[in-house]
Amino acid sequence: MSAFDKFPLGQPAFVTHVLDRAAHLRTNDEKLFTLEGHREARAYVVYRDSLVVKQEDGVARALLSLEEARGFGANPGTIFLGLRDGAPIFGMGIAPQAAEKLVGRSDVTVTELRGMAMQGVVPPEQLSAIAMAKSMVTWHQRHGFCPNCGSRTAMKDGGWKRECPGCKAEHFPRTDPVVIMLVTHGDKVLLGRQKQFLPGMYSCLAGFVEAAETIEDAVRREIFEEAGIRCTDVNYYMTQPWPYPSSLMIGCTARATNEDIVVDRSELEDARWFDRAEATLMHKRQHPDGLAGPHPFAIAHHLLGRWVHHGDPTGK
């Protein structure tokens, strides 16, 4: 099965929900303690941008029993992600020293999540829960102290809140909104590349939404700042959770009103217009010069795919 099959048009990674978040259980410490002892309780163990994965007969398994997770050195604090078919699912972190001890073992690996998602090592239907685990574990690791008074905070509500014993402030996980947009001008599409992209890869331009800014304004501003292109007719497509560390990619389309590109070299290595024929080859990864569009697990692939297949950036 190819990446195109794993992530068909309109279904990028991290969007398939298989968990009941069961938020009503988060404030019930007694119930959460009981759920941790449930025989079907499982956990995803996150280390930076990677997962601790059990290896069984050459097959990787990311969903671990809590006994396995703790045996590999996962931190004792668990984050309640929700229920899957009645079974509790948790997220756990692991300290660098414990993760280092796993290197070289045959029964377990610490594997980078992005590569696993792109290669289909983890079933696509698990990626949403994994994204949740990664985002939450990262947030806890970065927010151990109160930004208001500096006291050490404590995990509450099954991991969905931290409380400060000093000033009594409550702190909640954050999600950073990012606009990512397919910009067209007639029968051409604007794509750019960053220095860290794989050779020959071009993708949709993107950027963070700033304070007190609408999605539409963010689309117009980012495109002008990065490529010198003015846009109009901004339309929403879909969103994709992006756990790096915890963003929400807001997919949009827009129509350019000029064609003269002025690349911001601090943001992009290159940006150019591609006609439909060339963009189609890039999307299919059949371009004779080795140029390629974004991977099917990313929302940018699906924005480009709608335009390639439908002839209209809105997919109509």
Side-chain angles (χ1 to χ4, degrees):
M1 182 181 290
S2 71
F4 293 90
D5 298 317
K6 293 183 178 72
F7 304 106
L9 201 59
Q11 298 180 40
F14 309 121
V15 302
T16 302
H17 299 281
V18 295
L19 293 186
D20 171 6
R21 294 188 178 225
H24 64 285
L25 298 176
R26 295 174 185 171
T27 57
N28 190 329
D29 291 340
E30 182 178 348
K31 182 63 175 178
L32 289 175
F33 182 77
T34 300
L35 288 175
E36 286 193 35
H38 193 288
R39 65 176 184 176
E40 297 298 327
R42 297 292 184 269
Y44 294 106
V45 178
V46 177
Y47 176 64
R48 296 177 180 171
D49 286 340
S50 300
L51 284 177
V52 176
V53 179
K54 176 77 172 176
Q55 298 290 339
E56 297 175 322
D57 299 324
V59 178
R61 174 167 57 83
L63 200 54
L64 311 177
S65 70
L66 268 62
E67 183 179 7
E68 288 173 326
R70 291 167 181 147
F72 293 144
N75 297 334
T78 57
I79 301 164
F80 177 62
L81 303 180
L83 303 173
R84 180 175 183 177
D85 298 327
I89 307 296
F90 296 90
M92 302 176 73
I94 186 170
Q97 300 88 340
E100 289 170 4
K101 292 180 180 179
L102 302 179
V103 176
R105 288 179 53 166
S106 60
D107 61 330
V108 60
T109 57
V110 181
T111 307
E112 197 267 332
L113 173 57
R114 188 190 302 254
M116 293 177 68
M118 293 174 66
Q119 297 165 22
V121 174
V122 175
E125 63 270 15
Q126 291 191 33
L127 292 176
S128 175
I130 292 172
M132 195 191 317
K134 183 185 181 305
S135 294
M136 295 295 291
V137 167
T138 301
W139 179 72
H140 281 286
Q141 291 172 341
R142 295 184 176 187
H143 293 79
F145 295 88
C146 177
N148 187 48
C149 73
S151 299
R152 181 176 288 280
T153 56
M155 181 188 293
K156 298 290 183 179
D157 290 2
W160 290 87
K161 180 172 73 174
R162 296 191 73 89
E163 285 185 349
C164 175
C167 67
K168 308 304 179 184
E170 297 179 331
H171 307 286
F172 299 90
R174 61 176 289 170
T175 296
D176 299 313
V178 179
V179 288
I180 181 165
M181 39 279 174
L182 186 82
V183 178
T184 59
H185 189 271
D187 209 38
K188 294 183 290 187
V189 63
L190 177 68
L191 300 174
R193 61 171 283 108
Q194 299 178 357
K195 292 180 180 180
Q196 68 267 28
F197 283 4
L198 294 173
M201 176 183 159
Y202 281 77
S203 187
C204 299
L205 274 58
F208 287 97
V209 179
E210 295 186 346
E213 186 175 43
T214 67
I215 291 172
E216 294 83 358
D217 283 344
V219 168
R220 289 187 284 262
R221 175 184 54 78
E222 284 289 343
I223 293 297
F224 181 72
E225 288 179 354
E226 294 188 358
I229 298 296
R230 296 289 187 184
C231 292
T232 187
D233 296 343
V234 177
N235 287 285
Y236 167 79
Y237 168 42
M238 69 175 294
T239 55
Q240 179 189 28
W242 193 249
Y244 297 99
S246 187
S247 296
L248 181 67
M249 308 301 290
I250 305 169
C252 296
T253 61
R255 180 173 60 84
T257 59
N258 67 297
E259 290 189 46
D260 298 328
I261 296 174
V262 180
V263 178
D264 179 356
R265 298 294 176 181
S266 67
E267 294 283 343
L268 300 174
E269 184 178 80
D270 187 30
R272 67 175 82 168
W273 293 104
F274 294 92
D275 63 29
R276 188 178 304 278
E278 193 168 21
T280 299
L281 291 172
M282 293 167 65
H283 185 258
K284 294 179 178 179
R285 303 195 164 219
Q286 298 175 354
H287 195 284
D289 297 330
L291 301 182
H295 191 277
F297 90 124
I299 190 174
H301 170 90
H302 301 263
L303 280 162
L304 181 60
R306 283 198 322 159
W307 182 73
V308 163
H309 290 292
H310 295 282
D312 185 316
T314 65
K316 297 177 180 177

